[in-house]
Amino acid sequence: MTSPRRVVFFLFLVLIFFLFVILFYNINGIERRPPKTSLKHGLDPLYEENRVLCMIPYDYYNPNTAKYVKRTWGKHCNVLLFVSGDVDDELEPYVPVINSTDTWTLVQRGLMHAYRFYADQVDWFLRVEPSSFVVVENLRYMIGQRNYLPSQPIYFGYELENIVTHKPFVHHQSGYVISREALRRYTNASKDPENRECQHWQGYTEGLDIFRCLNHVNVTIAESRDELGNETFSPIAMDHHFLDGYNNIPWLHNLTYHKVPETTVPLSERAISFRVAYPPQMYDYYYFVYGMRIFGTPMQNTIEFRP
């Protein structure tokens, strides 16, 4: 082999070696790089395991409060469904309930619609007020920690005491969660016009109506408090919670099912739902829950904050 050929051959070997080194480090770099999440929202590992439909009934004469939900925490639901008497361009998809602002009608139609069209897409159905803020990740976590299954006939939320029977029922204004199986039973029972237990009774609140129907079809209330016995669903706004507690809210002090010696509702560190007194504050809560980082805590990948 002549000298020029040796030089070319040597350069060729060097090029092959150089390409091999580049390929080796690129492969290792790809393997060592943190994997990109396939989840739709942030890094919630339970997003696909515990799928949640969030149903928001609202008065179509005042849609702004529901819009704050869609722009903030509603992004974290697997399905976000609005129930109203008229269409709104921003609040889609929605359940049309023509010419009605009656909350019971909205909720009943909404729940039946949710089961009919989304039962194969979600596992849990959260009915919540448009004036509530929900940390959906904490809901999925609680479901996982308690090993609740969508095939169980259960529902849960903040529990009040029925003053007649002294049994618990779930307070609707705190929001409540229904399993797929429980909603199947509710839907089938509500279709029967002869089934008086699943109709609205004059003078009864939604919470009592829902309880009566679900109890009729053997759906039971599951525990929604954390392992320390603290509430995850708050029935009052945060300003009332920290300033008043039970002191200036006699109905809550008298009717709460889980009595405690404290003067305020014992909230869990993994709270799920709480009321917002001034709905535009949802932007503030959304930033503090999902956007702000505290110095000294482990760095985590967070969602991009865009109200």
Side-chain angles (χ1 to χ4, degrees):
M1 184 180 293
T2 62
S3 180
R5 289 184 176 179
R6 288 179 180 177
V7 173
V8 172
F9 182 74
F10 176 78
L11 292 176
F12 178 76
L13 291 178
V14 170
L15 177 62
I16 294 297
F17 178 78
F18 181 72
L19 293 175
F20 176 81
V21 170
I22 293 176
L23 181 62
F24 175 82
Y25 279 101
N26 281 341
I27 292 175
N28 277 272
I30 292 173
E31 291 177 348
R32 295 176 184 178
R33 191 178 302 134
K36 292 183 178 180
T37 176
S38 61
L39 302 181
K40 185 178 180 181
H41 296 290
L43 296 175
D44 184 1
L46 301 176
Y47 182 82
E48 295 295 342
E49 184 174 338
N50 295 321
R51 301 170 299 174
V52 179
L53 179 146
C54 305
M55 191 188 82
I56 318 293
Y58 74 96
D59 183 349
Y60 65 85
Y61 289 116
N62 182 26
N64 288 334
T65 303
K67 291 181 179 180
Y68 297 134
V69 170
K70 185 165 187 176
R71 298 168 189 171
T72 57
W73 66 265
K75 303 173 185 178
H76 298 256
C77 305
N78 295 79
V79 174
L80 182 61
L81 182 66
F82 295 95
V83 188
S84 176
D86 200 1
V87 66
D88 183 278
D89 291 340
E90 182 176 348
L91 301 177
E92 293 281 356
Y94 90 114
V95 181
V97 183
I98 303 302
N99 296 326
S100 178
T101 57
D102 177 65
T103 302
W104 167 255
T105 302
L106 297 177
V107 170
Q108 187 182 47
R109 297 280 187 88
L111 289 175
M112 295 174 69
H113 177 94
Y115 180 78
R116 178 184 177 188
F117 290 98
Y118 297 100
D120 60 341
Q121 300 178 35
V122 297
D123 309 297
W124 303 91
F125 299 81
L126 166 67
R127 177 273 194 255
V128 69
E129 294 284 315
S131 58
S132 291
F133 190 96
V134 178
V135 184
V136 187
E137 290 81 359
N138 282 353
L139 171 57
R140 296 190 183 102
Y141 174 81
M142 190 209 74
I143 291 172
Q145 284 295 102
R146 293 196 170 277
N147 296 316
Y148 291 153
L149 299 174
S151 58
Q152 295 175 300
I154 59 175
Y155 85 120
F156 53 85
Y158 187 86
E159 296 175 43
L160 297 179
E161 180 182 354
N162 186 320
I163 60 175
V164 176
T165 65
H166 301 292
K167 293 182 179 180
F169 70 96
V170 176
H171 183 40
H172 64 281
Q173 290 188 336
S174 304
Y176 53 85
V177 181
I178 305 179
S179 71
R180 187 194 302 122
E181 171 59 20
L183 188 56
R184 183 190 69 81
R185 298 186 183 191
Y186 173 84
T187 300
N188 290 339
S190 297
K191 290 179 181 178
D192 181 6
E194 302 298 324
N195 186 349
R196 187 171 179 269
E197 299 299 325
C198 292
Q199 305 303 318
H200 177 48
W201 288 11
Q202 190 66 32
Y204 279 66
T205 65
E206 176 192 334
L208 288 172
D209 280 329
I210 292 292
F211 168 78
R212 185 177 62 254
C213 181
L214 291 177
N215 184 64
H216 178 68
V217 293
N218 298 317
V219 173
T220 58
I221 298 176
E223 180 63 78
S224 64
R225 295 175 299 167
D226 67 13
E227 62 278 5
L228 300 177
N230 296 327
E231 301 287 353
T232 57
F233 290 79
S234 174
I236 54 178
M238 290 295 96
D239 53 349
H240 292 304
H241 177 88
F242 292 111
L243 295 178
D244 301 324
Y246 290 122
N247 293 334
N248 295 326
I249 311 177
W251 72 265
L252 181 60
H253 180 269
N254 295 331
L255 294 181
T256 186
Y257 185 74
H258 299 287
K259 302 292 192 295
V260 294
E262 293 91 340
T263 59
T264 188
V265 180
L267 280 186
S268 171
E269 291 183 351
R270 292 187 180 273
I272 294 171
S273 173
F274 49 87
R275 304 296 301 280
V276 179
Y278 180 56
Q281 286 182 325
M282 287 191 197
Y283 291 132
D284 304 336
Y285 289 122
Y286 193 65
Y287 168 72
F288 287 122
V289 172
Y290 293 104
M292 188 178 74
R293 294 180 177 180
I294 301 175
F295 176 76
T297 58
M299 295 295 290
Q300 297 179 350
N301 293 323
T302 58
I303 66 168
E304 182 179 1
F305 178 72
R306 288 184 180 180

